[in-house]
Amino acid sequence: MILLHGRGSNGPKFGSALLESPSGDKALALPALFPGFKFICPTAAKRRCTALKRVQIHQWFDNHSLVDCTAREDLQVDGLQETAAYVRSLIDTESRAIPTERIFVAGLSQGCAAAVYTLLTLDWRLAGFIGMSGWLPFERHISDIMDQSTNNRSGLSDDIKDDVDSSGDVVFETEAREREQLSPRLQALSMLRENIDVHPLLASDYDDMTSSILQTPVLIGHGALDEKVDYRLGSKMATTLKSLGMPVEFITYTDLGHWYKIPEQIEDIVVFLNKNIGNVD
């Protein structure tokens, strides 16, 4: 299991706290309940944080605001690109010993945001994704794509018209038409991939992609009293992932702020892990 910490923390600090947290009546922590698991808790690189007057802290990507984590999403792209490549390399390394369908990815807060974005740009199904007190970067863009009606007009679409130069010639018309041929959910995945310079999807990728990453089970938990990442952002993430066709379980912790709830949420994670360890066709 790969666990991504929140902004300003680090892998050992976050990992030790989470992995020592008791679950349920047995009061056992995750390593005791899953002795065969390997827990990987990497630390984000130090980056200048725009929201904190450019001070250097451990963060997976930059944020413009600590209040509105969806503001100036353009600032997030470079970090998301580097983080997704790094997490992908971790999965590649572990997949030499076990199938990717046996690998879980999880994250808290910004670590959740980085992890779920990475998940949606992978080429393979994972055992599961666990998100805690987080959000989905570029969720609005995904929702816009999913909500748009099918374009049945003849001629060029608006996207293609944007690629027409001053002479009236179509620039990259083939690529634009290929994007149009994708289903809305694959258009959304392709947008996320292109955003961080991962090769875009083609219509021929439909069967492979829908039978892989979109089948990854998802567990999202969010405190209703979260003072740092608005509860509604966690709820939107769950709704948007469901719209992509992913199996999503969303759990609200009514008296929880910005963290994970002990022991209830740990127990929910245990149930999720037990359910999906061997849930591979």
Side-chain angles (χ1 to χ4, degrees):
M1 176 185 287
I2 300 170
L3 299 161
L4 302 190
H5 63 78
R7 178 179 45 235
S9 185
N10 59 63
K13 179 180 179 181
F14 168 62
S16 61
L18 178 64
L19 298 179
E20 292 171 4
S21 299
S23 66
D25 296 332
K26 294 181 180 179
L28 294 177
L30 293 176
L33 292 169
F34 301 95
F37 269 38
K38 177 180 179 181
F39 296 96
I40 301 172
C41 305
T43 297
K46 278 194 171 183
R47 308 173 190 276
R48 294 199 178 276
C49 181
T50 301
L52 295 176
K53 298 182 179 180
R54 303 285 293 166
V55 66
Q56 284 194 332
I57 62 171
H58 291 292
Q59 59 176 359
W60 299 107
F61 54 88
D62 196 13
N63 276 110
H64 176 72
S65 169
L66 297 180
V67 178
D68 181 7
C69 51
T70 66
R72 288 293 307 278
E73 288 183 312
D74 57 297
L75 296 177
Q76 302 175 17
V77 172
D78 287 346
L80 284 171
Q81 181 178 358
E82 294 173 16
T83 297
Y86 175 60
V87 174
R88 181 184 285 258
S89 73
L90 292 177
I91 296 173
D92 282 341
T93 298
E94 296 306 313
S95 67
R96 297 169 191 166
I98 60 173
T100 58
E101 295 91 343
R102 295 285 189 265
I103 298 173
F104 291 88
V105 173
L108 171 73
S109 191
Q110 192 194 63
C112 169
V116 71
Y117 193 101
T118 299
L119 170 68
L120 294 176
T121 63
L122 295 177
D123 298 318
W124 343 275
R125 173 186 174 180
L126 300 183
F129 169 78
I130 300 169
M132 299 169 280
S133 298
W135 76 97
L136 173 57
F138 293 88
E139 181 277 328
R140 178 177 57 81
H141 300 272
I142 300 172
S143 295
D144 286 347
I145 292 173
M146 297 303 295
D147 291 341
Q148 70 183 4
S149 59
T150 303
N151 187 347
N152 292 321
R153 295 184 297 113
S154 60
L156 298 179
S157 71
D158 291 338
D159 286 340
I160 297 179
K161 287 178 181 178
D162 289 340
D163 294 327
V164 177
D165 62 20
S166 58
S167 67
D169 294 330
V170 177
V171 181
F172 305 129
E173 178 178 347
T174 301
E175 290 85 348
R177 290 196 184 282
E178 285 178 345
R179 287 198 299 270
E180 274 200 329
Q181 293 172 6
L182 297 176
S183 68
R185 60 179 177 171
L186 288 192
Q187 287 183 43
L189 294 182
S190 193
M191 178 273 295
L192 295 176
R193 293 165 70 96
E194 290 183 81
N195 205 26
I196 58 170
D197 290 337
V198 176
H199 67 84
L201 299 175
L202 302 176
S204 57
D205 295 316
Y206 180 82
D207 290 336
D208 290 339
M209 298 305 296
T210 55
S211 64
S212 55
I213 61 168
L214 295 182
Q215 289 187 356
T216 299
V218 174
L219 173 66
I220 298 172
H222 211 115
L225 304 180
D226 195 324
E227 70 283 5
K228 294 184 178 179
V229 178
D230 195 304
Y231 169 81
R232 291 171 294 183
L233 293 178
S235 179
K236 283 183 180 179
M237 171 168 57
T239 300
T240 301
L241 294 179
K242 285 181 181 179
S243 75
L244 291 173
M246 301 185 77
V248 178
E249 181 179 5
F250 180 66
I251 300 178
T252 300
Y253 300 95
T254 55
D255 57 349
L256 178 67
H258 188 67
W259 198 241
Y260 46 85
K261 188 171 180 60
I262 303 171
E264 292 88 344
Q265 192 167 1
I266 306 301
E267 180 61 25
D268 291 332
I269 291 173
V270 170
V271 172
F272 178 78
L273 293 177
N274 277 320
K275 178 180 178 182
N276 292 293
I277 288 174
N279 189 23
V280 182
D281 296 333

PDB file of all heavy atoms in Angstrom, residues 106-133:
ATOM      1  N   ALA A 106      -3.379   5.233  -1.266  1.00  0.00           N
ATOM      2  CA  ALA A 106      -4.204   6.004  -0.342  1.00  0.00           C
ATOM      3  C   ALA A 106      -3.552   7.353  -0.082  1.00  0.00           C
ATOM      4  O   ALA A 106      -2.363   7.545  -0.328  1.00  0.00           O
ATOM      5  CB  ALA A 106      -4.391   5.243   0.972  1.00  0.00           C
ATOM      6  N   GLY A 107      -4.343   8.292   0.428  1.00  0.00           N
ATOM      7  CA  GLY A 107      -3.790   9.596   0.728  1.00  0.00           C
ATOM      8  C   GLY A 107      -4.694  10.395   1.644  1.00  0.00           C
ATOM      9  O   GLY A 107      -5.909  10.168   1.711  1.00  0.00           O
ATOM     10  N   LEU A 108      -4.067  11.327   2.350  1.00  0.00           N
ATOM     11  CA  LEU A 108      -4.784  12.238   3.245  1.00  0.00           C
ATOM     12  C   LEU A 108      -4.634  13.661   2.744  1.00  0.00           C
ATOM     13  O   LEU A 108      -3.523  14.094   2.397  1.00  0.00           O
ATOM     14  CB  LEU A 108      -4.214  12.142   4.665  1.00  0.00           C
ATOM     15  CG  LEU A 108      -4.693  13.176   5.681  1.00  0.00           C
ATOM     16  CD1 LEU A 108      -6.134  12.891   6.101  1.00  0.00           C
ATOM     17  CD2 LEU A 108      -3.789  13.209   6.911  1.00  0.00           C
ATOM     18  N   SER A 109      -5.741  14.396   2.677  1.00  0.00           N
ATOM     19  CA  SER A 109      -5.725  15.809   2.319  1.00  0.00           C
ATOM     20  C   SER A 109      -5.088  16.018   0.942  1.00  0.00           C
ATOM     21  O   SER A 109      -5.552  15.465  -0.044  1.00  0.00           O
ATOM     22  CB  SER A 109      -5.007  16.603   3.417  1.00  0.00           C
ATOM     23  OG  SER A 109      -5.172  17.986   3.252  1.00  0.00           O
ATOM     24  N   GLN A 110      -3.993  16.799   0.863  1.00  0.00           N
ATOM     25  CA  GLN A 110      -3.364  16.997  -0.441  1.00  0.00           C
ATOM     26  C   GLN A 110      -2.810  15.685  -0.984  1.00  0.00           C
ATOM     27  O   GLN A 110      -2.750  15.482  -2.196  1.00  0.00           O
ATOM     28  CB  GLN A 110      -2.242  18.037  -0.347  1.00  0.00           C
ATOM     29  CG  GLN A 110      -1.754  18.508  -1.709  1.00  0.00           C
ATOM     30  CD  GLN A 110      -0.451  19.269  -1.664  1.00  0.00           C
ATOM     31  OE1 GLN A 110       0.586  18.721  -1.276  1.00  0.00           O
ATOM     32  NE2 GLN A 110      -0.501  20.540  -2.060  1.00  0.00           N
ATOM     33  N   GLY A 111      -2.408  14.786  -0.081  1.00  0.00           N
ATOM     34  CA  GLY A 111      -1.961  13.467  -0.520  1.00  0.00           C
ATOM     35  C   GLY A 111      -3.074  12.684  -1.191  1.00  0.00           C
ATOM     36  O   GLY A 111      -2.843  11.938  -2.142  1.00  0.00           O
ATOM     37  N   CYS A 112      -4.301  12.855  -0.686  1.00  0.00           N
ATOM     38  CA  CYS A 112      -5.471  12.246  -1.329  1.00  0.00           C
ATOM     39  C   CYS A 112      -5.661  12.821  -2.715  1.00  0.00           C
ATOM     40  O   CYS A 112      -5.895  12.088  -3.685  1.00  0.00           O
ATOM     41  CB  CYS A 112      -6.712  12.478  -0.471  1.00  0.00           C
ATOM     42  SG  CYS A 112      -8.276  12.056  -1.273  1.00  0.00           S
ATOM     43  N   ALA A 113      -5.562  14.157  -2.831  1.00  0.00           N
ATOM     44  CA  ALA A 113      -5.746  14.816  -4.125  1.00  0.00           C
ATOM     45  C   ALA A 113      -4.712  14.334  -5.139  1.00  0.00           C
ATOM     46  O   ALA A 113      -5.035  14.042  -6.294  1.00  0.00           O
ATOM     47  CB  ALA A 113      -5.655  16.338  -3.953  1.00  0.00           C
ATOM     48  N   ALA A 114      -3.449  14.250  -4.711  1.00  0.00           N
ATOM     49  CA  ALA A 114      -2.392  13.797  -5.604  1.00  0.00           C
ATOM     50  C   ALA A 114      -2.594  12.341  -5.988  1.00  0.00           C
ATOM     51  O   ALA A 114      -2.386  11.948  -7.150  1.00  0.00           O
ATOM     52  CB  ALA A 114      -1.027  13.983  -4.941  1.00  0.00           C
ATOM     53  N   ALA A 115      -3.008  11.521  -5.026  1.00  0.00           N
ATOM     54  CA  ALA A 115      -3.171  10.091  -5.282  1.00  0.00           C
ATOM     55  C   ALA A 115      -4.331   9.810  -6.234  1.00  0.00           C
ATOM     56  O   ALA A 115      -4.218   8.980  -7.141  1.00  0.00           O
ATOM     57  CB  ALA A 115      -3.371   9.348  -3.961  1.00  0.00           C
ATOM     58  N   VAL A 116      -5.462  10.489  -6.026  1.00  0.00           N
ATOM     59  CA  VAL A 116      -6.611  10.213  -6.894  1.00  0.00           C
ATOM     60  C   VAL A 116      -6.364  10.727  -8.307  1.00  0.00           C
ATOM     61  O   VAL A 116      -6.778  10.105  -9.299  1.00  0.00           O
ATOM     62  CB  VAL A 116      -7.922  10.796  -6.301  1.00  0.00           C
ATOM     63  CG1 VAL A 116      -7.950  12.321  -6.374  1.00  0.00           C
ATOM     64  CG2 VAL A 116      -9.142  10.222  -7.023  1.00  0.00           C
ATOM     65  N   TYR A 117      -5.659  11.854  -8.423  1.00  0.00           N
ATOM     66  CA  TYR A 117      -5.316  12.347  -9.768  1.00  0.00           C
ATOM     67  C   TYR A 117      -4.412  11.348 -10.466  1.00  0.00           C
ATOM     68  O   TYR A 117      -4.623  11.012 -11.637  1.00  0.00           O
ATOM     69  CB  TYR A 117      -4.640  13.713  -9.688  1.00  0.00           C
ATOM     70  CG  TYR A 117      -4.549  14.408 -11.032  1.00  0.00           C
ATOM     71  CD1 TYR A 117      -5.443  15.420 -11.374  1.00  0.00           C
ATOM     72  CD2 TYR A 117      -3.580  14.043 -11.975  1.00  0.00           C
ATOM     73  CE1 TYR A 117      -5.377  16.047 -12.609  1.00  0.00           C
ATOM     74  CE2 TYR A 117      -3.514  14.655 -13.213  1.00  0.00           C
ATOM     75  CZ  TYR A 117      -4.407  15.654 -13.525  1.00  0.00           C
ATOM     76  OH  TYR A 117      -4.345  16.259 -14.765  1.00  0.00           O
ATOM     77  N   THR A 118      -3.415  10.844  -9.739  1.00  0.00           N
ATOM     78  CA  THR A 118      -2.519   9.840 -10.319  1.00  0.00           C
ATOM     79  C   THR A 118      -3.291   8.607 -10.746  1.00  0.00           C
ATOM     80  O   THR A 118      -3.073   8.066 -11.843  1.00  0.00           O
ATOM     81  CB  THR A 118      -1.438   9.451  -9.295  1.00  0.00           C
ATOM     82  OG1 THR A 118      -0.668  10.610  -8.950  1.00  0.00           O
ATOM     83  CG2 THR A 118      -0.518   8.382  -9.860  1.00  0.00           C
ATOM     84  N   LEU A 119      -4.186   8.145  -9.882  1.00  0.00           N
ATOM     85  CA  LEU A 119      -5.000   6.966 -10.188  1.00  0.00           C
ATOM     86  C   LEU A 119      -5.687   7.099 -11.533  1.00  0.00           C
ATOM     87  O   LEU A 119      -5.692   6.170 -12.357  1.00  0.00           O
ATOM     88  CB  LEU A 119      -6.040   6.758  -9.083  1.00  0.00           C
ATOM     89  CG  LEU A 119      -7.130   5.713  -9.359  1.00  0.00           C
ATOM     90  CD1 LEU A 119      -6.535   4.318  -9.387  1.00  0.00           C
ATOM     91  CD2 LEU A 119      -8.238   5.811  -8.315  1.00  0.00           C
ATOM     92  N   LEU A 120      -6.269   8.267 -11.792  1.00  0.00           N
ATOM     93  CA  LEU A 120      -7.044   8.461 -13.013  1.00  0.00           C
ATOM     94  C   LEU A 120      -6.171   8.602 -14.259  1.00  0.00           C
ATOM     95  O   LEU A 120      -6.702   8.669 -15.375  1.00  0.00           O
ATOM     96  CB  LEU A 120      -7.949   9.692 -12.864  1.00  0.00           C
ATOM     97  CG  LEU A 120      -9.045   9.560 -11.807  1.00  0.00           C
ATOM     98  CD1 LEU A 120      -9.817  10.865 -11.672  1.00  0.00           C
ATOM     99  CD2 LEU A 120      -9.993   8.413 -12.134  1.00  0.00           C
ATOM    100  N   THR A 121      -4.863   8.640 -14.087  1.00  0.00           N
ATOM    101  CA  THR A 121      -3.967   8.725 -15.246  1.00  0.00           C
ATOM    102  C   THR A 121      -3.165   7.440 -15.439  1.00  0.00           C
ATOM    103  O   THR A 121      -2.282   7.386 -16.300  1.00  0.00           O
ATOM    104  CB  THR A 121      -2.991   9.906 -15.101  1.00  0.00           C
ATOM    105  OG1 THR A 121      -2.146   9.715 -13.947  1.00  0.00           O
ATOM    106  CG2 THR A 121      -3.747  11.214 -14.966  1.00  0.00           C
ATOM    107  N   LEU A 122      -3.470   6.410 -14.664  1.00  0.00           N
ATOM    108  CA  LEU A 122      -2.769   5.139 -14.809  1.00  0.00           C
ATOM    109  C   LEU A 122      -3.336   4.328 -15.967  1.00  0.00           C
ATOM    110  O   LEU A 122      -4.426   4.615 -16.476  1.00  0.00           O
ATOM    111  CB  LEU A 122      -2.889   4.323 -13.513  1.00  0.00           C
ATOM    112  CG  LEU A 122      -2.214   4.906 -12.262  1.00  0.00           C
ATOM    113  CD1 LEU A 122      -2.495   4.004 -11.064  1.00  0.00           C
ATOM    114  CD2 LEU A 122      -0.719   5.065 -12.475  1.00  0.00           C
ATOM    115  N   ASP A 123      -2.608   3.289 -16.336  1.00  0.00           N
ATOM    116  CA  ASP A 123      -3.038   2.395 -17.410  1.00  0.00           C
ATOM    117  C   ASP A 123      -3.534   1.061 -16.875  1.00  0.00           C
ATOM    118  O   ASP A 123      -3.888   0.179 -17.655  1.00  0.00           O
ATOM    119  CB  ASP A 123      -1.877   2.135 -18.386  1.00  0.00           C
ATOM    120  CG  ASP A 123      -1.397   3.402 -19.055  1.00  0.00           C
ATOM    121  OD1 ASP A 123      -2.250   4.223 -19.448  1.00  0.00           O
ATOM    122  OD2 ASP A 123      -0.168   3.576 -19.194  1.00  0.00           O
ATOM    123  N   TRP A 124      -3.515   0.903 -15.546  1.00  0.00           N
ATOM    124  CA  TRP A 124      -3.855  -0.385 -14.981  1.00  0.00           C
ATOM    125  C   TRP A 124      -4.794  -0.224 -13.799  1.00  0.00           C
ATOM    126  O   TRP A 124      -4.809   0.785 -13.123  1.00  0.00           O
ATOM    127  CB  TRP A 124      -2.608  -1.129 -14.476  1.00  0.00           C
ATOM    128  CG  TRP A 124      -1.313  -0.605 -14.998  1.00  0.00           C
ATOM    129  CD1 TRP A 124      -0.715  -0.941 -16.178  1.00  0.00           C
ATOM    130  CD2 TRP A 124      -0.460   0.371 -14.383  1.00  0.00           C
ATOM    131  NE1 TRP A 124       0.457  -0.256 -16.314  1.00  0.00           N
ATOM    132  CE2 TRP A 124       0.651   0.554 -15.246  1.00  0.00           C
ATOM    133  CE3 TRP A 124      -0.508   1.089 -13.187  1.00  0.00           C
ATOM    134  CZ2 TRP A 124       1.690   1.439 -14.946  1.00  0.00           C
ATOM    135  CZ3 TRP A 124       0.521   1.969 -12.887  1.00  0.00           C
ATOM    136  CH2 TRP A 124       1.598   2.134 -13.759  1.00  0.00           C
ATOM    137  N   ARG A 125      -5.551  -1.281 -13.563  1.00  0.00           N
ATOM    138  CA  ARG A 125      -6.427  -1.330 -12.398  1.00  0.00           C
ATOM    139  C   ARG A 125      -5.596  -1.595 -11.150  1.00  0.00           C
ATOM    140  O   ARG A 125      -4.617  -2.343 -11.172  1.00  0.00           O
ATOM    141  CB  ARG A 125      -7.456  -2.446 -12.579  1.00  0.00           C
ATOM    142  CG  ARG A 125      -8.317  -2.684 -11.345  1.00  0.00           C
ATOM    143  CD  ARG A 125      -9.214  -3.891 -11.527  1.00  0.00           C
ATOM    144  NE  ARG A 125      -9.930  -4.189 -10.288  1.00  0.00           N
ATOM    145  CZ  ARG A 125     -10.785  -5.200 -10.155  1.00  0.00           C
ATOM    146  NH1 ARG A 125     -11.018  -5.992 -11.173  1.00  0.00           N
ATOM    147  NH2 ARG A 125     -11.377  -5.406  -9.012  1.00  0.00           N
ATOM    148  N   LEU A 126      -5.975  -0.962 -10.047  1.00  0.00           N
ATOM    149  CA  LEU A 126      -5.356  -1.221  -8.760  1.00  0.00           C
ATOM    150  C   LEU A 126      -6.321  -1.996  -7.860  1.00  0.00           C
ATOM    151  O   LEU A 126      -7.505  -2.142  -8.173  1.00  0.00           O
ATOM    152  CB  LEU A 126      -4.966   0.091  -8.078  1.00  0.00           C
ATOM    153  CG  LEU A 126      -3.965   0.989  -8.819  1.00  0.00           C
ATOM    154  CD1 LEU A 126      -3.634   2.218  -7.974  1.00  0.00           C
ATOM    155  CD2 LEU A 126      -2.698   0.236  -9.192  1.00  0.00           C
ATOM    156  N   ALA A 127      -5.802  -2.474  -6.725  1.00  0.00           N
ATOM    157  CA  ALA A 127      -6.661  -3.192  -5.784  1.00  0.00           C
ATOM    158  C   ALA A 127      -7.695  -2.264  -5.175  1.00  0.00           C
ATOM    159  O   ALA A 127      -8.825  -2.670  -4.885  1.00  0.00           O
ATOM    160  CB  ALA A 127      -5.813  -3.829  -4.684  1.00  0.00           C
ATOM    161  N   GLY A 128      -7.321  -0.988  -5.000  1.00  0.00           N
ATOM    162  CA  GLY A 128      -8.265  -0.036  -4.433  1.00  0.00           C
ATOM    163  C   GLY A 128      -7.612   1.300  -4.157  1.00  0.00           C
ATOM    164  O   GLY A 128      -6.378   1.422  -4.110  1.00  0.00           O
ATOM    165  N   PHE A 129      -8.450   2.305  -3.982  1.00  0.00           N
ATOM    166  CA  PHE A 129      -8.003   3.647  -3.616  1.00  0.00           C
ATOM    167  C   PHE A 129      -8.735   4.077  -2.362  1.00  0.00           C
ATOM    168  O   PHE A 129      -9.957   3.901  -2.243  1.00  0.00           O
ATOM    169  CB  PHE A 129      -8.282   4.650  -4.741  1.00  0.00           C
ATOM    170  CG  PHE A 129      -8.095   6.077  -4.316  1.00  0.00           C
ATOM    171  CD1 PHE A 129      -6.825   6.624  -4.217  1.00  0.00           C
ATOM    172  CD2 PHE A 129      -9.186   6.869  -3.963  1.00  0.00           C
ATOM    173  CE1 PHE A 129      -6.635   7.927  -3.782  1.00  0.00           C
ATOM    174  CE2 PHE A 129      -9.007   8.179  -3.536  1.00  0.00           C
ATOM    175  CZ  PHE A 129      -7.730   8.710  -3.449  1.00  0.00           C
ATOM    176  N   ILE A 130      -7.985   4.665  -1.413  1.00  0.00           N
ATOM    177  CA  ILE A 130      -8.572   5.155  -0.165  1.00  0.00           C
ATOM    178  C   ILE A 130      -8.238   6.635  -0.027  1.00  0.00           C
ATOM    179  O   ILE A 130      -7.064   7.016  -0.004  1.00  0.00           O
ATOM    180  CB  ILE A 130      -8.017   4.382   1.048  1.00  0.00           C
ATOM    181  CG1 ILE A 130      -8.336   2.891   0.916  1.00  0.00           C
ATOM    182  CG2 ILE A 130      -8.605   4.943   2.352  1.00  0.00           C
ATOM    183  CD1 ILE A 130      -7.605   2.020   1.920  1.00  0.00           C
ATOM    184  N   GLY A 131      -9.267   7.466   0.046  1.00  0.00           N
ATOM    185  CA  GLY A 131      -9.072   8.904   0.182  1.00  0.00           C
ATOM    186  C   GLY A 131      -9.623   9.411   1.501  1.00  0.00           C
ATOM    187  O   GLY A 131     -10.738   9.037   1.901  1.00  0.00           O
ATOM    188  N   MET A 132      -8.847  10.244   2.182  1.00  0.00           N
ATOM    189  CA  MET A 132      -9.247  10.789   3.482  1.00  0.00           C
ATOM    190  C   MET A 132      -9.126  12.311   3.451  1.00  0.00           C
ATOM    191  O   MET A 132      -8.060  12.853   3.152  1.00  0.00           O
ATOM    192  CB  MET A 132      -8.352  10.226   4.594  1.00  0.00           C
ATOM    193  CG  MET A 132      -8.414   8.720   4.754  1.00  0.00           C
ATOM    194  SD  MET A 132      -7.103   8.056   5.845  1.00  0.00           S
ATOM    195  CE  MET A 132      -5.700   8.045   4.695  1.00  0.00           C
ATOM    196  N   SER A 133     -10.223  12.999   3.732  1.00  0.00           N
ATOM    197  CA  SER A 133     -10.239  14.462   3.858  1.00  0.00           C
ATOM    198  C   SER A 133      -9.582  15.157   2.667  1.00  0.00           C
ATOM    199  O   SER A 133      -8.775  16.072   2.830  1.00  0.00           O
ATOM    200  CB  SER A 133      -9.525  14.888   5.161  1.00  0.00           C
ATOM    201  OG  SER A 133     -10.178  14.371   6.282  1.00  0.00           O
TER     202      SER A 133
END
